[in-house]
Amino acid sequence: MMIEPRNGLVLRYSYLWARQYDRREESGRKDRPACVQIIVSGGEAGTIVALFPITSQASSDAGSALEIPETEARRIGLALPAWIIVDEWNLDNLATSAHIGDARPLGTFSAAFMQRVRKAAAARIRARRYRSISRR
């Protein structure tokens, strides 16, 4: 099944946390919901997207995550509380990725919520307080 990348799409993904990458781990420990946020590039090599992890654990760093509103969580079928991490992401090609847990998307976040996510991630990038892990 081909996944058409679009901002706000949520799917199950074997997310590799930066701390796991730093320990030279090569795969995530479990499939978790992850949100396609930024389409980084396209072309012959395929479309590379940034996948932001979704977690049930609050972050101790206030700027690193956004709490997912109840209406957005219901749209995707997420249990509450839930946060989307905005200071780290995996870069991957959804057409060729071996890290997708299930090709059937869980749903899509609203454009308004995704705008909040984009602004929060951009602030972390400007502050140089982010990690980007390539999975391609």
Side-chain angles (χ1 to χ4, degrees):
M1 173 186 232
M2 178 67 176
I3 298 174
E4 185 63 37
R6 62 188 184 279
N7 286 331
L9 183 70
V10 178
L11 50 100
R12 298 214 51 87
Y13 184 79
S14 181
Y15 187 84
L16 182 64
W17 294 98
R19 63 185 175 270
Q20 294 170 326
Y21 176 81
D22 290 344
R23 290 191 301 260
R24 293 187 164 68
E25 294 179 35
E26 295 180 4
S27 63
R29 294 182 183 165
K30 69 176 187 176
D31 289 345
R32 71 173 50 256
C35 179
V36 173
Q37 168 48 23
I38 301 166
I39 297 172
V40 178
S41 65
E44 276 185 37
T47 302
I48 306 303
V49 300
L51 291 138
F52 287 65
I54 295 170
T55 181
S56 61
Q57 303 296 314
S59 174
S60 59
D61 180 352
S64 69
L66 285 177
E67 188 167 7
I68 299 171
E70 183 179 353
T71 55
E72 297 290 340
R74 271 199 313 250
R75 181 178 289 129
I76 306 300
L78 299 173
L80 290 174
W83 286 266
I84 185 166
I85 305 299
V86 296
D87 68 345
E88 76 168 76
W89 49 85
N90 286 182
L91 295 175
D92 207 344
N93 181 337
L94 297 183
T96 59
S97 179
H99 309 293
I100 297 170
D102 188 338
R104 295 169 300 189
L106 299 173
T108 304
F109 287 133
S110 71
F113 180 63
M114 292 312 298
Q115 181 64 25
R116 288 182 54 211
V117 173
R118 266 191 301 283
K119 285 181 179 179
R124 298 303 279 203
I125 291 168
R126 282 191 302 277
R128 292 187 169 95
R129 297 192 60 194
Y130 71 95
R131 295 287 304 274
S132 179
I133 307 298
S134 179
R135 304 293 302 281
R136 313 175 261 155

